[in-house]
C-alpha cells in the first residue's frame, strides 16, 4: 500500500531506470548463517531473514550480518530467504538451504 499523501499521478523525480539496486546473499558456514548486503542507489532500510513466510530475524543497515546457532534456534531445516529493502523501496531476495546439523 502507498503511504499517506502518495500521489500516483505525480512525476517520480526520485527513481530512474538506471538506478543501482541492492543485492543480498545468504550462506551457511558451520552452524551460522551469513547475510551479505550491498547497497544500490539508496541506503539500506531493512534486511529480513524468513522461513516459510515467517520473519525469524531482522537487521537494519548494509554490510555483513552473521547469525549464530543460538539466533537461529527458531529455524528448521529447509529453505531460508533473505530480503533487503532500501529507502527507495527497491528490494532484493536470495535463498539458501539451512541445515541445523552443520
Amino acid at each position: 500500500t502507498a503511504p499517506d499523501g502518495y500521489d500516483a499521478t505525480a512525476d517520480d523525480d526520485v527513481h530512474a531506470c538506471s538506478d543501482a539496486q541492492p543485492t543480498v546473499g545468504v550462506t551457511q558456514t558451520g552452524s551460522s548463517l551469513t547475510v551479505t548486503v550491498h547497497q544500490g542507489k539508496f541506503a539500506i532500510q531493512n534486511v529480513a531473514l524468513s522461513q516459510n513466510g515467517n520473519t525469524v530475524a531482522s537487521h537494519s543497515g548494509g554490510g555483513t550480518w552473521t547469525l549464530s546457532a543460538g539466533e537461529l534456534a527458531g529455524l528448521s531445516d529447509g529453505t531460508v530467504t533473505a530480503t533487503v529493502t532500501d529507502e527507495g523501496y527497491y528490494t532484493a531476495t536470495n535463498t539458501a538451504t539451512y541445515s541445523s546439523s552443520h
Side-chain angles (χ1 to χ4, degrees):
T1 59
D4 290 340
Y6 178 76
D7 182 359
T9 63
D11 287 336
D12 182 351
D13 58 356
V14 175
H15 300 95
C17 294
S18 60
D19 286 349
Q21 297 192 20
T23 61
V24 62
V26 58
T27 56
Q28 181 172 359
T29 304
S31 59
S32 14
L33 284 176
T34 301
V35 179
T36 305
V37 177
H38 296 283
Q39 176 180 319
K41 176 182 177 181
F42 299 98
I44 300 301
Q45 182 176 14
N46 184 55
V47 184
L49 186 69
S50 62
Q51 187 175 57
N52 300 322
N54 299 312
T55 301
V56 294
S58 63
H59 180 75
S60 58
T64 301
W65 173 35
T66 301
L67 294 100
S68 67
E71 294 171 298
L72 300 171
L75 284 180
S76 57
D77 291 354
T79 302
V80 293
T81 302
T83 303
V84 61
T85 304
D86 70 14
E87 292 180 354
Y89 297 100
Y90 289 121
T91 62
T93 61
N94 204 327
T95 61
T97 301
Y98 174 74
S99 173
S100 59
S101 63
H102 276 115

